[in-house]
Amino acid sequence: MKLAVASVLAVALTASYAPTAVAEGNGAGGQGGEQLAELFQPETPTDEGFEALRAELPDDFDSETLDQLIAPTVDLPVGVDAPSGYATVLPELGDEISLSGGSLEGSSDVVITAVGSSTTSVTDGVAVSDSADGSGLKAMAHTTSGGGQIAFLIEGERSAPEATFAVSTSSDTRWEKQSDGGLKLIDALGNPLVTINKPWAIDANGQQIATHFETGDGYFKQVVDTEGAAFPIVADPSAWWYAKKATLCLANIAAFGSIAAKAASVGTKIAKRLKAAKSGTKLYEAYQAWKKMGGSNADRAKALWSTLKEFAKEVKNVGFAKARHKVEQKGSKYKYGMIVLFGAAGVVADVLGVKDCIALVKGREV
């Protein structure tokens, strides 16, 4: 059984951020320099996505675990012509269930299609679909702050325990498997276009059950181990786009405000955490780089902040593969700043609270 889903714009399993001023990049439709974050981040996320899925489940389905995994729905403001790569677009009625959008700014769309469903309703940022062949496999796609999320339902033993997602791009791509079971889609230049988060599946008793991805040329498949599970089962392949995550990072930075007044406190906290690292670890390497940045801890915090902003901008401009090199070429403080970011991402996220930026660095949600 194959399920249908088109292009996913950055899936995140977190609540959305409030609109934030980000005057970066040129949007489509004459919106250059506009506050891009506002184009896809309304102030209040809603629960429509979870409620749409919940409506397909029996009353006795234990949804407590599921509730923690379904992200709040974020609907694109009405009438906004968002730049390519930033808006999550839902399908039309009758079309295959889908989410679509750009991958890297200036490039063509990546389209992920799970064949076999037909959209029966689209409302408030949520699309719901029934299986076209009546096998019992159903799907729900909804928009999130990071882009979109897809969940499919395995109703019983006669339902197919898997969903196959075709992936179409205008350039050559390859899959890169991640240590946690997730995937990255890499283009010919080495740029990661899409991250598919670690898969999950929940049975009717609220228990997480075994599931994994399989990949091939132009597709990936989520396979669920249904043996001994209580039906129905909800499973989810979630994904997020790097271009959109870079813009969310810039929104994080704008929301943080000026680093100047906070530099001393931030620098002290980061230095304290890094200093406790054990020799031979990435944190220890980050601490050595931190010291090589020179100046006081406050000076280093300012330099690290500048490094983070430059990296996010370059990911948008030239892609992930070239961004690190371009930033490192700006000077020694940037070079050592990148070592700190990549070696101590968790510390930086905890101290600065810029989790979308750290997800951008690590290639997964944190």
Side-chain angles (χ1 to χ4, degrees):
M1 172 63 200
K2 295 182 180 180
L3 177 69
V5 187
S7 176
V8 190
L9 257 183
V11 169
L13 299 180
T14 56
S16 67
Y17 294 89
T20 309
V22 183
E24 298 292 342
N26 292 318
Q31 297 186 41
E34 193 161 336
Q35 297 176 353
L36 299 183
E38 292 191 8
L39 297 178
F40 57 88
Q41 293 184 92
E43 289 190 25
T44 307
T46 66
D47 295 324
E48 276 91 348
F50 180 77
E51 292 304 321
L53 178 61
R54 188 69 180 83
E56 303 295 325
L57 302 174
D59 292 337
D60 59 352
F61 189 99
D62 187 342
S63 61
E64 183 176 351
T65 303
L66 186 62
D67 193 17
Q68 299 170 20
L69 294 169
I70 299 296
T73 299
V74 172
D75 197 13
L76 189 69
V78 176
V80 174
D81 180 17
S84 176
Y86 301 96
T88 303
V89 182
L90 292 169
E92 299 291 335
L93 285 176
D95 289 347
E96 294 171 328
I97 187 105
S98 65
L99 296 168
S100 62
S103 51
L104 290 171
E105 191 171 24
S107 71
S108 61
D109 287 355
V110 175
V111 179
I112 302 176
T113 303
V115 182
S117 61
S118 179
T119 302
T120 55
S121 67
V122 182
T123 128
D124 295 324
V126 182
V128 177
S129 172
D130 289 325
S131 171
D133 63 3
S135 67
L137 184 64
K138 298 181 179 180
M140 181 275 293
H142 69 126
T143 54
T144 69
S145 64
Q149 184 173 23
I150 306 154
F152 63 92
L153 185 65
I154 303 172
E155 292 190 295
E157 292 182 355
R158 298 183 63 182
S159 303
E162 63 187 41
T164 301
F165 299 83
V167 180
S168 173
T169 68
S170 61
S171 60
D172 294 334
T173 56
R174 60 181 173 83
W175 290 110
E176 186 177 277
K177 293 186 177 181
Q178 304 302 292
S179 60
D180 66 355
L183 301 170
K184 282 184 185 178
L185 185 66
I186 311 295
D187 72 9
L189 298 177
N191 290 307
L193 303 180
V194 180
T195 286
I196 309 295
N197 294 337
K198 177 182 177 180
W200 55 259
I202 304 293
D203 76 357
N205 293 329
Q207 300 298 310
Q208 296 209 30
I209 57 179
T211 182
H212 67 275
F213 289 137
E214 296 177 1
T215 62
D217 186 15
Y219 76 91
F220 72 94
K221 178 189 295 185
Q222 182 170 353
V223 180
V224 180
D225 182 0
T226 61
E227 185 175 357
F231 292 97
I233 295 168
V234 179
D236 165 83
S238 294
W240 54 267
W241 304 128
Y242 276 77
K244 192 166 184 180
K245 187 60 69 172
T247 302
L248 284 171
C249 172
L250 291 169
N252 282 182
I253 290 170
F256 185 87
S258 173
I259 187 68
K262 311 170 189 177
S265 174
V266 166
T268 299
K269 290 178 181 178
I270 292 176
K272 184 177 181 180
R273 294 276 296 274
L274 296 182
K275 188 176 182 179
K278 294 181 180 180
S279 178
T281 63
K282 286 188 176 181
L283 278 181
Y284 183 80
E285 293 177 7
Y287 181 50
Q288 301 309 309
W290 174 263
K291 292 189 292 184
K292 291 178 181 178
M293 291 172 75
S296 65
N297 283 329
D299 293 330
R300 294 164 187 161
K302 292 176 184 177
L304 184 65
W305 192 244
S306 296
T307 301
L308 184 59
K309 288 195 289 186
E310 288 300 313
F311 179 68
K313 291 176 184 177
E314 293 298 349
V315 170
K316 282 184 59 184
N317 293 334
V318 301
F320 189 93
K322 295 181 181 179
R324 182 169 183 174
H325 178 71
K326 286 199 68 173
V327 174
E328 290 175 342
Q329 296 304 303
K330 294 178 181 291
S332 60
K333 288 187 177 181
Y334 286 99
K335 176 182 177 181
Y336 294 126
M338 290 302 293
I339 294 174
V340 174
L341 285 179
F342 276 78
V347 171
V348 176
D350 288 345
V351 174
L352 296 176
V354 286
K355 291 193 174 182
D356 280 306
C357 294
I358 304 309
L360 182 66
V361 171
K362 295 176 73 70
R364 60 180 175 80
E365 297 298 337
V366 293

